[in-house]
Amino acid sequence: MKDTLENFELAIIAGNADASADLADTIVRQGQATADKIFDHLAAAMEEVGSRYETGEYFIPEMLRSAEAVEKAMTVLEPYLFERRHEQAGIIVMGTVKGDIHNIGKNIIVSALRASGYEVHDLGVNVSTEKFINKVKETSADLLLLSAFTTSTKPALLDIIAALESEGMRGEVKVISGGASHSEDFAREIGVDGFATDVKSTLAICRSLTGA
Amino acid sequence: MAGEIPDRVPVIPVVDGYFAPKIIGRDNDECFLDGICQAEALAASLARFGYDGAIAEMGLGDEPNVLGCPVEVEGNYVPLVVETLIAGREDIGKLKIPADSSAVATGGKLEPVRWLVEAVGAGQVVLGSVRSPFEYAATVRGLFDFMTDFYRDPELVRDLVAACIPATLAVGKALIEAGVDALVIKDSFASSSMISPDHYREFAWPAEVQAIGELGGLAPVVLHICRNSMPILEDMSKTGAAVLEIDSPVDLAAAKAAVGGRVVLKGNIDAAAVIEKGSLEDVEAAVRYAMSAAKAGGGFILSSGDSIPNSAPENNLTALVEAGKKYGKY
Ligand code: B12
């Protein structure tokens, strides 16, 4: 059993989508692994992919290849995980804010979060404040994740926080932002509950804010 | 451009539609789709700061339109390519591939470039900027899908890049016909900060060679690859480009040692950390370092590593040009 899960993790890291799907199928047929165990391996794989990118061993296409392997494996695993999972890690609404169309980093984070057991509603890019607010209401999301890669997105970020406040929702949803434009100062000025600029710290913040 | 040693190192920072409009009191979005506004801004900036050349584009916002890609500007800071054209191989045929330079020079699109060519002073040059085939391909496919295709469908990547070669050629020739002195071919996504050197060689380099092979005979070509290009510098120097535009992550002395014998280097003051955020002293120190690393023996053009951001202080650009002229004397 241990071997299958380990190989599964390695296949994701190597970005081998077919092998990932096959191994996911084996995991389902063996029927032994708990949902938590599977998510642990998936999340570990995406963390490893993220750090290989940080150290220059991987480039963007290699990260995308692994993200695609996660998506393929998830299609196979979803029914199995759905049966076994008592509690979800949390519900997340995510998107790239208005005026910004960068999606690569966002999509990688979406895959890493799904791989970690979150239900993620991805709204895409150039997303209006209204769309974010409506989706958070509709899903009763625990976390709102905002990707913002250019510093010119600051007004859009402030607008979302202000809208959450005026709707009386600010206490109910934690807001995390991230992307290339982010620094500690930038995040403080916007008034988010946390920020991150890589896969590993994003997963850590989400875990700590949802207690997952 | 290459050849004998001039009186001093030319200074041609990358001042484009991000920085120049404020020099004539306009917002970027006003000038993005109004070419004459942009040309006036570029000429005013050139006159004000006194560097040696301006960089003309056909219109930053409009350029993906060459291949029929819709662009949206919504009172926004920058135009967004909101919709990509290529969902799969079958769509390659839908691209509006321009047959030649006359196909892109329609509707007065080149008027701003001609205007700028007329406006610059004696001894100042105009560089025309065009996207590489690889960059056009990424734009019409959408960068995310394009880079996912590297492993999922490499054949599609190759075919799409090849299909875009005529676009680079047509725009490049149109710019040359409008009177620019040299071309900058931008291949930003080919950077080793984004894709591996192997993928660069496989997907981007052959199209660079083909485009430069045709255009280089008509005007000198500057090949622009921003962020880290050290691992591919050797290959870049063998594309036929006369000049390599390199960014701040590359050590200029190392670049000079590696390829300075073959090509002119243009670079590489950090546009964000030094020109946007640094002090006047930081700018001067960076220029001095650049000169010490790359001036000797000629073949060097002082420049920012990449586009100067809108929020860069004007005094820092003044400092860059002054230091360039002072420390660049031969
Ligand atoms: C690729 C790219 C583009 C592509 C985007 C294509 C696409 N489909 O995404 C294109 C060409 C379209 C583009 C356009 C522009 N870009 Co751009 N782009 C980049 C570039 C080179 C790489 C981005 C990337 O994909 N990186 C790889 C991924 C994996 O990293 P990442 O995006 O940082 O994501 C990670 C983290 O940030 C984090 N993360 C991401 N989202 C979130 C969300 C949350 C909640 C959390 C916690 C974490 C998190 O996790 C991710 C995984 O590691 C960056 C440079 C850079 N250093 O990032 C510039 C950059 C982001 N772009 C920039 C700019 C200015 C622009 C343009 C205005 C024009 C220009 N000068 O290039 C336009 C703007 C268009 C618009 N309005 O959105 C600037 C922003 C500067 C600033 N401070 O404002 C950058 C930093 C480049 C620079 N130094 O000038 N760009």
Side-chain angles (χ1 to χ4, degrees):
Chain A
M1 184 71 247
K2 190 162 174 256
D3 278 351
T4 309
L5 279 168
E6 269 172 8
N7 287 334
F8 177 58
E9 184 177 328
L10 291 174
I12 302 271
I13 294 170
N16 189 334
D18 291 338
S20 305
D22 288 348
L23 285 161
D25 190 57
T26 309
I27 292 168
V28 170
R29 279 189 289 103
Q30 288 173 339
Q32 311 266 304
T34 63
D36 282 344
K37 199 88 198 142
I38 294 172
F39 282 127
D40 282 349
H41 282 276
L42 275 162
M46 280 313 279
E47 271 188 30
E48 173 63 19
V49 169
S51 57
R52 287 190 188 187
Y53 172 70
E54 299 298 326
T55 57
E57 190 182 335
Y58 272 11
F59 299 84
I60 293 177
E62 286 72 31
M63 276 206 286
L64 299 182
R65 180 181 61 173
S66 291
E68 184 160 77
V70 168
E71 301 293 327
K72 277 223 172 147
M74 288 304 272
T75 333
V76 178
L77 289 169
E78 232 148 38
Y80 179 89
L81 293 169
F82 189 74
E83 270 170 36
R84 263 147 246 256
R85 185 96 191 166
H86 308 293
E87 241 179 278
Q88 207 152 43
I91 299 175
I92 294 180
V93 170
M94 182 162 188
T96 301
V97 303
K98 186 88 192 154
D100 196 332
I101 54 160
H102 295 85
N103 67 354
I104 295 172
K106 172 186 68 66
N107 292 1
I108 287 165
I109 295 291
V110 168
S111 295
L113 289 167
R114 287 195 178 133
S116 308
Y118 290 93
E119 175 184 321
V120 186
H121 301 267
D122 178 4
L123 300 181
V125 299
N126 194 23
V127 179
S128 66
T129 298
E130 196 189 343
K131 264 199 188 164
F132 278 121
I133 301 288
N134 288 343
K135 200 69 184 181
V136 169
K137 275 188 194 156
E138 181 194 318
T139 58
S140 307
D142 305 294
L143 297 176
L144 174 58
L145 264 63
L146 305 171
S147 283
F149 300 92
T150 63
T151 37
S152 55
T153 55
K154 196 170 173 186
L157 288 160
L158 290 170
D159 191 55
I160 294 164
I161 300 286
L164 286 172
E165 267 159 15
S166 68
E167 296 274 330
M169 296 159 67
R170 186 66 185 89
E172 279 147 46
V173 60
K174 298 273 187 235
V175 186
I176 308 174
S177 61
S181 60
H182 276 71
S183 62
E184 189 123 24
D185 287 345
F186 189 79
R188 187 170 344 99
E189 283 159 28
I190 297 157
V192 289
D193 301 302
F195 85 100
T197 54
D198 62 35
V199 175
K200 199 172 174 171
S201 49
T202 302
L203 294 182
I205 289 194
C206 291
R207 282 189 203 112
S208 81
L209 288 177
T210 53
Chain B
M1 245 181 203
E4 67 278 18
I5 296 181
D7 296 340
R8 68 164 166 80
V9 170
V11 181
I12 309 181
V14 188
V15 173
D16 55 23
Y18 293 105
F19 179 84
K22 69 177 183 182
I23 302 303
I24 56 167
R26 304 287 286 270
D27 288 336
N28 287 0
D29 57 346
E30 291 179 77
C31 287
F32 268 126
L33 294 182
D34 176 354
I36 293 291
C37 171
Q38 183 154 165
E40 281 174 1
L42 294 169
S45 175
L46 186 66
R48 156 96 80 90
F49 297 100
Y51 43 84
D52 300 311
I55 297 156
E57 312 186 55
M58 279 186 53
L60 185 72
D62 210 30
E63 216 206 324
N65 248 328
V66 168
L67 290 161
C69 224
V71 173
E72 195 178 84
V73 190
E74 207 197 270
N76 227 321
Y77 170 55
V78 280
L80 306 178
V81 177
V82 282
E83 200 187 313
T84 50
L85 293 179
I86 305 290
R89 166 173 307 280
E90 60 289 355
D91 293 330
I92 295 183
K94 287 192 205 154
L95 290 174
K96 288 198 295 179
I97 307 285
D100 54 30
S101 57
S102 62
V104 295
T106 55
K109 278 200 185 121
L110 285 163
E111 280 322 305
V113 180
R114 290 200 190 92
W115 189 95
L116 188 62
V117 168
E118 289 296 313
V120 301
Q124 292 175 323
V125 296
V126 175
L127 314 184
S129 168
V130 55
R131 294 177 195 222
S132 70
F134 186 73
E135 193 158 314
Y136 271 126
T139 305
V140 295
R141 174 82 171 114
L143 191 63
F144 177 82
D145 286 309
F146 185 69
M147 290 198 170
T148 307
D149 292 337
F150 279 24
Y151 289 103
R152 190 173 47 193
D153 190 356
E155 206 51 47
L156 174 61
V157 178
R158 269 189 289 273
D159 290 350
L160 194 54
V161 173
C164 290
I165 292 174
T168 300
L169 293 178
V171 175
K173 285 177 186 165
L175 289 163
I176 292 168
E177 286 162 13
V180 301
D181 302 286
L183 282 180
V184 182
I185 296 185
K186 291 202 153 200
D187 211 355
S188 306
F189 303 145
S191 169
S192 306
S193 297
M194 301 197 68
I195 68 171
S196 67
D198 286 343
H199 277 144
Y200 165 73
R201 285 171 206 126
E202 185 179 355
F203 296 129
W205 190 83
E208 287 174 354
V209 171
Q210 210 175 321
I212 296 169
E214 277 206 39
L215 295 169
L218 306 172
V221 171
V222 181
L223 177 61
H224 162 101
I225 297 184
C226 43
R227 306 318 295 162
N228 185 21
S229 60
M230 198 61 209
I232 53 173
L233 212 55
E234 193 78 32
D235 306 272
M236 289 169 69
S237 76
K238 293 175 184 157
T239 55
V243 183
L244 304 185
E245 187 165 86
I246 57 175
D247 199 355
S248 50
V250 174
D251 180 64
L252 203 48
K256 180 91 172 177
V259 299
R262 266 200 297 279
V263 287
V264 173
L265 291 173
K266 178 175 187 290
N268 74 342
I269 310 297
D270 194 321
V274 176
I275 302 176
E276 182 187 20
K277 308 234 167 69
S279 64
L280 295 174
E281 293 73 31
D282 293 337
V283 174
E284 180 169 348
V287 171
R288 286 181 75 162
Y289 172 75
M291 291 297 179
S292 73
K295 175 183 158 189
F300 179 52
I301 301 169
L302 181 74
S303 171
S304 52
D306 204 351
S307 298
I308 298 185
N310 183 263
S311 47
E314 290 166 35
N315 286 341
N316 277 1
L317 185 51
T318 306
L320 180 126
V321 177
E322 275 174 8
K325 288 180 176 175
K326 182 168 156 199
Y327 300 112
K329 286 205 187 77
Y330 282 106

